[in-house]
Amino acid sequence: GPTCSGTAITFTASVPAGATGLDWKGAFSGDGATKTTGTAANTYTAAVRSYTTGGGTTCYSGYTGDVSGTIVATPGTPGLVQNGPKCSGSAITFTASGGSGNYDWTGVFSGTGTTKTTGTGAGGYTAYVRSYTTASGTTCYSGYTGAVTGTIVATPGTPGLPTPGSVCQGNYLTFSASGGSGAYDWTGACSGQGNPKYAGTGAGGYTAYVRSYTTASGTTCYSGYTGAVTGTINGPGGNGGSSACGCASGLANCSGTCYPCCNCTLYSCSGVGNRYFRRIGAMTWPNANTSCQNLDGGAVGWRLPTQEELRCFLTQSGTPCTTTYWWWQSNVVCPTSIEPRYRAFNWNMNASTGVCQLGVNCGSNTEPYEVVCVKNQ
């Protein structure tokens, strides 16, 4: 000895010349030139003497001094963890625990210590560790842990993002990234992931930023964002817009900005849907019809309301019950001397219910009644 637990110690004595045999005490007994311990950690102490037998008697020498051999306890295998995955530029730390508290490394690391740290380059780092105990002039090691691998994922490069230039209002700006990992994450005027991205329809400047990313080993690594990249949506002249730009189909040019309609209000009408309304004043029938059709340059679908649409507007706008309005109706409910497709409605109070109601007015088409125009959303 010394040895480590699991390995026995052998004590060996020699028989002096003329002696018959040996006699042991302490850890052993009996005769024999060699004695072997068990394998458990312990300190084993023995002494031996020789003896001679003759003439019916046995004579013994004195015992040797005590001789001790130690079996040092082999420590348990430690635990080993690592704090990856990481992105390139960041290191991974491997930490051992348990066992004897003293550790010996192999694999990507060597030497001793409780923690070991990788470099910051992308790749897989595999390590093994064992614990050890030093006593009685010997060092006893546990078995190595299994392989433990930490991964550093490559951080992709920053992508390219060219300017989308300028477009006319009603169109989208198209932001299209390239390079990097090929997977993109956006902020600013664009958000979320994917490529390309589309921004805005209203006149103005739109600024976007993008970065690329890589997902591997359960982590996502991002490049830095690009610098700010700005595109412009020009209005139809005025308000800093380009005189070359008009409004897209269904949009009105409202003092240089494109909207669904100018000076209008959107109401949600039960049983009808969402409608834009605009009150344009009192006028006779022929003017009422054409004035609605010609609103906003005649390109966005204005018309006279149906009975349901007119009731929706008057109710939701809180209009007092005192006015007569033109509206569109295909049923003949007035004398044939009155134009059969167009009617006027009185908006007045029902005396018994106290609620505003619409009542047919079969007056002359030349009377100046109020006009509310409507268009679909």
Side-chain angles (χ1 to χ4, degrees):
T3 63
C4 299
S5 53
T7 301
I9 296 175
T10 299
F11 287 71
T12 303
S14 59
V15 180
T20 304
L22 299 170
D23 177 54
W24 295 80
K25 73 170 184 175
F28 312 113
S29 61
D31 201 350
T34 60
K35 295 291 184 179
T36 303
T37 67
T39 59
N42 204 346
T43 296
Y44 298 84
T45 302
V48 68
R49 63 185 177 178
S50 64
Y51 67 90
T52 301
T53 301
T57 189
T58 300
C59 297
Y60 295 91
S61 70
Y63 278 106
T64 61
D66 287 345
V67 175
S68 295
T70 300
I71 298 179
V72 178
T74 300
T77 302
L80 179 59
V81 296
Q82 49 84 26
N83 65 347
K86 300 283 189 180
C87 299
S88 53
S90 297
I92 294 175
T93 298
F94 286 70
T95 302
S97 62
S100 67
N102 298 310
Y103 306 106
D104 177 63
W105 298 77
T106 192
V108 71
F109 307 118
S110 61
T112 61
T114 301
T115 61
K116 295 289 183 179
T117 302
T118 67
T120 59
Y125 297 82
T126 299
Y128 312 78
V129 70
R130 60 184 178 177
S131 64
Y132 65 92
T133 299
T134 299
S136 301
T138 195
T139 300
C140 297
Y141 296 91
S142 72
Y144 277 108
T145 60
V148 175
T149 300
T151 301
I152 297 180
V153 178
T155 299
T158 302
L161 182 60
T163 176
S166 61
V167 297
C168 292
Q169 189 174 2
N171 298 294
Y172 290 105
L173 287 167
T174 301
F175 289 83
S176 185
S178 62
S181 66
Y184 305 106
D185 179 63
W186 299 79
T187 191
C190 305
S191 61
Q193 297 175 342
N195 192 54
K197 287 287 187 176
Y198 304 95
T201 55
Y206 294 82
T207 299
Y209 310 78
V210 68
R211 60 184 177 177
S212 64
Y213 66 92
T214 298
T215 299
S217 300
T219 196
T220 300
C221 297
Y222 296 91
S223 73
Y225 279 108
T226 60
V229 174
T230 300
T232 303
I233 296 179
N234 292 315
N239 291 346
S242 167
S243 60
C245 290
C247 291
S249 176
L251 299 178
N253 181 352
C254 304
S255 301
T257 301
C258 296
Y259 292 114
C261 51
C262 304
N263 303 315
C264 58
T265 303
L266 178 66
Y267 292 120
S268 178
C269 302
S270 176
V272 176
N274 295 336
R275 297 289 188 268
Y276 289 103
F277 294 94
R278 181 173 171 183
R279 190 194 300 269
I280 62 173
M283 57 194 71
T284 60
W285 166 251
N287 290 330
N289 189 35
T290 57
S291 293
C292 282
Q293 294 172 349
N294 291 331
L295 279 179
D296 297 334
V300 294
W302 286 106
R303 54 181 172 79
L304 282 172
T306 64
Q307 178 182 353
E308 292 79 8
E309 289 169 337
L310 181 59
R311 180 181 290 108
C312 171
F313 169 77
L314 296 174
T315 301
Q316 295 204 35
S317 64
T319 300
C321 312
T322 58
T323 313
T324 301
Y325 294 85
W326 288 112
W327 66 291
W328 172 287
Q329 175 62 285
S330 60
N331 297 331
V332 177
V333 294
C334 286
T336 56
S337 61
I338 305 298
E339 164 57 52
R341 287 177 60 83
Y342 307 102
R343 297 289 179 268
F345 261 127
N346 295 324
W347 181 238
N348 50 29
M349 181 75 73
N350 183 311
S352 61
T353 64
V355 176
C356 291
Q357 63 182 14
L358 288 173
V360 174
N361 182 314
C362 290
S364 168
N365 289 349
T366 60
E367 291 292 328
Y369 298 140
E370 286 292 318
V371 176
V372 172
C373 302
V374 65
K375 71 182 291 286
N376 295 352
Q377 186 182 28

